[in-house]
Amino acid sequence: MNTELTQEAIIRFSGIHVAFGSNRVFEGLELSVRRDEILTILGESGCGKSVLLKVILGLVPWQQGSVNVDGHTLSPGHDSDLLAVRRKVGMVFQGGALFDSLTVFDNIAYPLRERGISDRAQLRKRAGEVLEMVGLPGIEAKMPAELSGGMRKRVALARAIAEAPKVLLYDEPTTGLDPVNVRRISELIVALRERLGVTAVVVTHDLASAFMISDRIAMVAERRIAAIGSNESLQRSSDPRVRRFLDAMPLGSTEALPGGGP
């Protein structure tokens, strides 16, 4: 756990209401993410955890409330700051979301080219740097189909950090991975926070990973943040919503990672 975290919020959700037709996902949700922390979001399937990440990037509509990301405020119908927010936030989508027709290099270079960087030497240098950071040097020429599931997740992570974001969003980063790769991805989340100084927001069902990496954990229930606190406080919670979720999920090993929670 990082014991020197600032209390300053880099992301603040204020009174967020999200509904898809008659399906109400959030009603007045409030949540602050502290600068430089790793905040993990837990909750039952279908509770809106991934929707919360997509609200930050303006990928899903919401009806009321606002989201402030590092000084830029987004609200329904007012997205003038959306481009500025997206330049500060990288996202690792569930499954990686790599372009299957592009090489690893071109996948990583894609967002940089969208930003206006066209010099191939500069792109190759940056691709090499971020692949080294995720432990996959020298695979620029490979196609996604040649990669294992764990490697695809790490390439997706390399692409997300290529633009040097201030915030990294992880949507179920360990889903479908074997225990070795679950630990590898968990270690990377912690290591990149330390190396790059990024804030991380992680959506996961993996309790062992959550307790290894998190400074704080937030639980979504009943369309709001039902509980938030340190790993220890959540594990000691007597809130029936928290207990029902924790007691139903396999915990596995919670051996601490360097820089992560207990």
Side-chain angles (χ1 to χ4, degrees), residues 151-210:
M151 292 173 73
R152 289 172 68 95
K153 290 284 182 77
R154 286 189 279 163
V155 170
L157 181 49
R159 182 176 61 185
I161 63 176
E163 296 183 274
K166 290 188 174 183
V167 177
L168 278 172
L169 309 178
Y170 299 85
D171 188 6
E172 300 285 3
T174 61
T175 295
L177 300 181
D178 60 78
V180 172
N181 276 301
V182 167
R183 185 169 184 86
R184 181 178 285 134
I185 294 296
S186 299
E187 289 174 338
L188 271 174
I189 292 170
V190 174
L192 289 174
R193 188 269 296 275
E194 301 301 321
R195 182 169 180 174
L196 303 178
V198 294
T199 301
V201 184
V202 184
V203 161
T204 186
H205 282 101
D206 190 325
L207 281 182
S209 177

Side-chain angles (χ1 to χ4, degrees), residues 45-123:
S45 296
C47 71
K49 301 184 300 297
S50 296
V51 170
L52 199 58
L53 298 187
K54 293 173 183 177
V55 164
I56 296 172
L57 291 173
L59 297 178
V60 299
W62 70 98
Q63 288 71 47
Q64 294 181 45
S66 64
V67 184
N68 187 282
V69 181
D70 199 30
H72 300 280
T73 300
L74 306 176
S75 57
H78 297 85
D79 57 2
S80 59
D81 281 357
L82 184 56
L83 181 58
V85 168
R86 288 178 174 175
R87 285 178 171 171
K88 293 185 176 186
V89 179
M91 184 162 180
V92 181
F93 292 90
Q94 186 174 358
L98 299 179
F99 297 108
D100 289 334
S101 61
L102 300 181
T103 65
V104 167
F105 165 72
D106 284 318
N107 265 282
I108 294 171
Y110 184 86
L112 299 173
R113 286 175 170 143
E114 290 290 297
R115 182 78 71 88
I117 300 172
S118 58
D119 182 79
R120 194 166 182 83
Q122 184 179 356
L123 292 171

Side-chain angles (χ1 to χ4, degrees), residues 22 36 63 70 76 86 121 125 131 133 139 141 155 159 172 175 201 231 254 257:
S22 61
D36 300 330
Q63 288 71 47
D70 199 30
R86 288 178 174 175
K125 181 175 183 292
L131 284 171
M133 288 183 198
I139 70 162
V155 170
R159 182 176 61 185
E172 300 285 3
T175 295
V201 184
N231 302 345
T254 58
L257 293 175

Side-chain angles (χ1 to χ4, degrees), residues 42-44 205 207 211 219 234-252:
L42 298 176
E44 297 179 4
H205 282 101
L207 281 182
F211 287 133
M219 177 160 290
L234 216 69
Q235 290 183 72
R236 292 195 303 264
S237 175
S238 59
D239 186 310
R241 298 166 298 184
V242 176
R243 290 264 51 94
R244 182 172 63 247
F245 181 84
L246 296 184
D247 293 345
M249 298 293 287
L251 182 58

